[in-house]
Structures are given as structure tokens and as C-alpha cells.
């Protein structure tokens, strides 16, 4: 029996009309120019040769496209969907997107390390922030920072910051904290609480937008940029707010390296008292070391112990912020549900005859349901990287890690935090900062006075 063109007038295989009014096989979707296989009645595109061989034609080998196989040589049943080629590995594509920014961050870390080696009094983390800000505004690197490198720099500012905070726990031992004495522990807790709540309240009164008040208060109260990065993870803070807060805290901490040693003798502080004051007042660990070493080894030892006690309060502070964020999102969820219920009640009273209005109302309800689900997402009470920080504190407290491992971890922590701070510095936009810089700078100055004054009073009371 000869093949019949779909546009021809031959009757279907069972004598009935073909699909779409054209004669052909009943139930087969035969388009123009398609040929019909005489053996099974299946169409072939564009008049190609039928898949089923005519009598006497040798069968195709198994595995070749054709005999019972799909387009890629895989077996396919009649009516089965065509096999789809697997997508490219997402991880490899993700790495390619991150490489430009991570490469630029690596160059920034190398530059910060070189400056620190040339001028040991300048902390590497401070230089990393400055280089990140420069990279965001210099003509040669500005395009990369704002374009293809943005994804990698943002990755460094968030993910590498978490790893650096985890390794920061290896600098703290429970024996060191208990060795301070309960009076000193109470003094440190008082300084942290007064600085945090005082700075946060001042920032709100000054009208700072977003989470800037929260982030600046965290940086001044705990440990500078590391604390800001940790809190921003649970508060979902805007990257620009994080970058502005890091720049402010880093600037004030750098100024403290030069200013605080000049005040030791006018304030009548011994070397040990000066070290405690520096540990209670300066933000970053590197800045504490740079400022306290000017008064000798006894001052340096006291400063590091007090500073590490402040670092130990990072975990409970992050947990408290997470609880606050969960409560806020629970309220948002309740408000969204109430709004959805009101919308449903209003829709029930409307005329149901207009199909277009009904569809639009369903779309609006779907959007509100999506917003409810979004508001229901809440951060964990204790983020995973904070648990890692506490785990590292526990490991350090066992005193079983060799000094070589601690030195390697300290170096890795410096490099990770430097890369993270370079990424955060690259997000600083100076023109935007200049528009709100007056209020932010005023908050930084007031917070500096608060932490230095409370720390000074606490040192006098406990020594």
C-alpha cells in the first residue's frame, strides 16, 4: 500500500476521515507534508522516511535513532515525551560567575597584606576596607566592581565573613575568660550593653535609615566589622547599610590607634589599666593590639583578654537579634494574614459575574499569600556559623591544639576577614554616603564617646 500525503484525499485507515478534516489515519496528528507509516500509521515529520521498515528492509541496529528509539538513541514508548538533554552543572556556572569578584578580592587581600608588612602598625583589615572603597571608585576597577565582579565580592562579604567568624573562636578560651575575674566580666558586659543600646537609641533618634543604627551599635559594642557581618546575616540587612557601617567603625577604630595612647597619662592610667581600657573601647582585635602594644606587654595582655571577652558576647547578641527578627516577621505574617482575610471577605461580597474581576481578585490573593509565605520565613535562633564559633571556643578550651595549628588558623582567619572586608568596602558608594554622611559620622563620634567613657569608668571601678 503506497504512502498517502496528508493533503491527499485518500480515506483513513479505518475508512473514516483523517485528523483535522484531512484524510488520513484517525487519531494521528498529521501535519502538512508529513508522511504516514503504512505499518503503524505514525507520522514522520517533513515527509521523512517512515520509522518502521517496509517488508524486506533490514532492521536498524539497536541504539541507533530510528527503530524504537528516541532522538538521542534511548528507548521511547509510543506517545512518550522526547528526552531532554541534562542541563549544564549549576555549580560550575556559579563558580564562573564568582571568579571575577573573588579574583579581585584576592588582589585586594594581597595588597592589604603588603601594606601591613611594610607598616606593621596599620592593621591588615583596615587596609582591606580602604582598598575595597578605592576599587569601587577608581576608573580601572570600578567597572569590574559594579559589573561582573559584584557577585563574587558580595559572596566574599557574606560567606567568607562567616568562615572568618568561626575561626575567630579559636582565639578565645574559657580559662582566659574566667581568669579575668567576675568583676571584670561584669564590667565588660556592662560596657557592651551600654554601648549597644546607647548607640542604637542615638541612631534611631538621628533618623538613620535601614539597619544602620543596629549595625553600628553592634560594631562598636562587640568586635567591629566581624560583629557587623554576623548580625547582618540574621537581620537580612541591605548591603549598602552593611558597607557604610563597616566603613564608619573601621575609620573610628583606626583613629583610636593614634588617639588613645595620647590619653593614657592625662587620664592617670597605669599600663595594665590602659590595656583594659583599650580592650573595652576599641572595636577590632587587630586595632586593639596596635593601640595597646604602645604601653608594653602587660598592657597588651590585658587588652587582648578584655577584648576576647567582648568577642565571647557575639554569640548571645546574634541570638538576641535573631529572636527579635523572628518576632518582627511573626507580626508581619499575622498582619498579612489579616489583610488576606479582609481581601477574601471583600471579594466574596463583590459581583462574581465579571470573569475578569474574578481572575484579578484571585491573582491579588495569590500575591498576598506569597507575601505571607515570605514573611513567615524566619531566621534560626542561633545561626550555624555562630554554633561553629562556639564549637571553636570549646576546641580551644581543651588546650589540645598545637601552636602550629592555631597559627595557621589565625592566618586563615585574617585572610578570610580581609577578603570579606574588601568586598564590603567595594559596596561603599561615596556620593550616597556623602548625602547621609553627616548623621552617620555624628553617630560614630557619639558612640565613640559612649564606649570610651563607659569603658574608662568600668576600668576604674574594677582595678
Amino acid at each position: 500500500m503506497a504512502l498517502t500525503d496528508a493533503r491527499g484525499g485518500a480515506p483513513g485507515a479505518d475508512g473514516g476521515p483523517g485528523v483535522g478534516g484531512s484524510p488520513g489515519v484517525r487519531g494521528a496528528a498529521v501535519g502538512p507534508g508529513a508522511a504516514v507509516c503504512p505499518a503503524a500509521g505514525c507520522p514522520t515529520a517533513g515527509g521523512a522516511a517512515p520509522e518502521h521498515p517496509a517488508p524486506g528492509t533490514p532492521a536498524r541496529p539497536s541504539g541507533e535513532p530510528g527503530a524504537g528509539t528516541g532522538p538521542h538513541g534511548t528507548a521511547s514508548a509510543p506517545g512518550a515525551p522526547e528526552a531532554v538533554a541534562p542541563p549544564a552543572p549549576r555549580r560550575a556556572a556559579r563558580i564562573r560567575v564568582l571568579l571575577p569578584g573573588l579574583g579581585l578580592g584576592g588582589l585586594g587581600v594581597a595588597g592589604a597584606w603588603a601594606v601591613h608588612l611594610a607598616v606593621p602598625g596599620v592593621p591588615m583589615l583596615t587596609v582591606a576596607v580602604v582598598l575595597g572603597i578605592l576599587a569601587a571608585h577608581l576608573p580601572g576597577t570600578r567597572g569590574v566592581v559594579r559589573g561582573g565582579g559584584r557577585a563574587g565580592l558580595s559572596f566574599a562579604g557574606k560567606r567568607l565573613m562567616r568562615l572568618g567568624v568561626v575561626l575567630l573562636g579559636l582565639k578565645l578560651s574559657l580559662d582566659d575568660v574566667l581568669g579575668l575575674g567576675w568583676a571584670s566580666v561584669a564590667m565588660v558586659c556592662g560596657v557592651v550593653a551600654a554601648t549597644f543600646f546607647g548607640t542604637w537609641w542615638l541612631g534611631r533618634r538621628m533618623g538613620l535609615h535601614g539597619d544602620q543604627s543596629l549595625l553600628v551599635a553592634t560594631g562598636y559594642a562587640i568586635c567591629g566589622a566581624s560583629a557587623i557581618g554576623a548580625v547582618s546575616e540574621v537581620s537580612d540587612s541591605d548591603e549598602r547599610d552593611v558597607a557604610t557601617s563597616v566603613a564608619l567603625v573601621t575609620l573610628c577604630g583606626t583613629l583610636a590607634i593614634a588617639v588613645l595612647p595620647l590619653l593614657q597619662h592625662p587620664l592617670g592610667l597605669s599600663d595594665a589599666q590602659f590595656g583594659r581600657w583599650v580592650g573595652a573601647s576599641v572595636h577590632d582585635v587587630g586595632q586593639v593590639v596596635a593601640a595597646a602594644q604602645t604601653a608594653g606587654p602587660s598592657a597588651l595582655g590585658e587588652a587582648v583578654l578584655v577584648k576576647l571577652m567582648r568577642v565571647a558576647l557575639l554569640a548571645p547578641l546574634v541570638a538576641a537579634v535573631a529572636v527579635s527578627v523572628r518576632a518582627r516577621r511573626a507580626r508581619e505574617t499575622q498582619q498579612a494574614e489579616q489583610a488576606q482575610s479582609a481581601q477574601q471577605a471583600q471579594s466574596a461580597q463583590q459581583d462574581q459575574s465579571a470573569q475578569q474581576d474574578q481572575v484579578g481578585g484571585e491573582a491579588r490573593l495569590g500575591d498576598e499569600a506569597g507575601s505571607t509565605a515570605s514573611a513567615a520565613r524566619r531566621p534560626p535562633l542561633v545561626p550555624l556559623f555562630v554554633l561553629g564559633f562556639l564549637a571553636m571556643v570549646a576546641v580551644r578550651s581543651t588546650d589540645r591544639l598545637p601552636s602550629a595549628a592555631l597559627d595557621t588558623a589565625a592566618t586563615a582567619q585574617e585572610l578570610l576577614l580581609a577578603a570579606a572586608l574588601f568586598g564590603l568596602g567595594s559596596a561603599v558608594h561615596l556620593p550616597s554616603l556623602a548625602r547621609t554622611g553627616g548623621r552617620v559620622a555624628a553617630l560614630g563620634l557619639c558612640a565613640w564617646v559612649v564606649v570610651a567613657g563607659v569603658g574608662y569608668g568600668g576600668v576604674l571601678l574594677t582595678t
Side-chain angles (χ1 to χ4, degrees):
M1 182 170 109
L3 291 176
T4 304
D5 192 296
R7 293 169 295 183
D14 58 355
V19 175
S22 299
V25 180
R26 180 184 300 273
V30 183
V36 179
C37 177
C42 59
T44 57
E51 291 294 325
H52 302 283
T57 304
R60 297 181 182 180
S62 175
E64 288 188 12
T69 63
H72 302 288
T74 58
S76 59
E82 182 177 333
V84 179
R90 294 183 179 180
R91 180 171 298 180
R94 175 67 172 165
I95 292 176
R96 286 195 298 269
V97 171
L98 297 178
L99 280 180
L102 293 178
L104 183 60
L107 293 177
V109 172
W113 189 306
V115 173
H116 175 65
L117 292 179
V119 187
V122 179
M124 184 174 69
L125 301 185
T126 302
V127 181
V129 175
V130 174
L131 291 180
I133 296 174
L134 291 177
H137 295 84
L138 292 177
T141 56
R142 181 173 55 198
V144 178
V145 169
R146 298 180 182 177
R150 186 68 259 158
L153 293 171
S154 297
F155 177 88
K158 293 182 179 180
R159 302 299 178 88
L160 299 188
M161 176 68 77
R162 296 179 187 177
L163 295 177
V165 170
V166 170
L167 293 180
L168 186 62
L170 290 176
K171 292 186 175 181
L172 181 64
S173 172
L174 294 178
D175 294 336
D176 296 336
V177 174
L178 297 177
L180 287 174
W182 292 110
S184 297
V185 171
M187 181 268 291
V188 172
C189 292
V191 169
V192 169
T195 303
F196 177 80
F197 289 108
T199 304
W200 179 77
W201 180 81
L202 285 173
R204 296 292 297 271
R205 293 298 298 270
M206 291 179 179
L208 294 183
H209 66 83
D211 291 332
Q212 287 183 351
S213 301
L214 172 66
L215 298 176
V216 172
T218 301
Y220 273 82
I222 303 294
C223 54
S226 303
I228 292 175
V231 169
S232 66
E233 290 293 323
V234 298
S235 61
D236 290 334
S237 301
D238 184 78
E239 186 178 14
R240 290 170 295 182
D241 290 343
V242 177
T244 300
S245 304
V246 166
L248 175 66
V249 172
T250 302
L251 174 62
C252 292
T254 303
L255 293 177
I257 298 174
V259 174
L260 264 60
L262 300 177
L263 299 177
Q264 176 185 358
H265 297 296
L267 294 177
L269 296 174
S270 65
D271 290 346
Q273 289 176 323
F274 175 73
R276 290 196 169 206
W277 185 45
V278 170
S281 305
V282 183
H283 320 313
D284 185 76
V285 176
Q287 296 166 347
V288 168
V289 172
Q293 67 185 359
T294 60
S298 62
L300 180 60
E302 294 288 336
V304 171
L305 286 178
V306 172
K307 178 60 188 176
L308 291 181
M309 178 58 203
R310 288 171 64 193
V311 173
L313 297 177
L314 175 63
L317 178 62
V318 172
V321 172
V323 170
S324 176
V325 172
R326 286 169 63 95
R328 184 189 67 195
R329 293 184 180 176
R331 291 193 300 269
E332 293 174 351
T333 300
Q334 183 179 5
Q335 294 173 357
E337 290 175 349
Q338 293 174 353
Q340 181 181 359
S341 299
Q343 180 67 29
Q344 289 175 342
Q346 182 179 4
S347 298
Q349 297 173 359
Q350 292 176 350
D351 186 8
Q352 301 298 321
S353 61
Q355 183 67 22
Q356 183 176 1
D357 293 341
Q358 180 182 0
V359 173
E362 291 175 354
R364 288 193 298 272
L365 291 177
D367 292 341
E368 291 200 12
S371 65
T372 301
S374 177
R377 292 193 298 267
R378 296 179 294 178
L381 288 178
V382 181
L384 185 60
F385 69 93
V386 175
L387 293 177
F389 170 83
L390 295 176
M392 293 299 102
V393 173
V395 170
R396 176 63 188 271
S397 300
T398 62
D399 291 330
R400 294 186 177 181
L401 289 178
S403 58
L406 293 176
D407 293 340
T408 301
T411 301
Q413 181 243 336
E414 277 295 293
L415 296 176
L416 289 171
L417 290 182
L421 292 180
F422 181 88
L424 291 175
S426 68
V428 175
H429 188 236
L430 291 180
S432 300
L433 182 61
R435 288 193 289 270
T436 58
R439 286 179 295 171
V440 175
L443 176 62
L445 179 60
C446 292
W448 197 5
V449 172
V450 169
V451 67
V454 176
Y456 177 71
V459 168
L460 294 181
L461 290 174
T462 56
T463 54

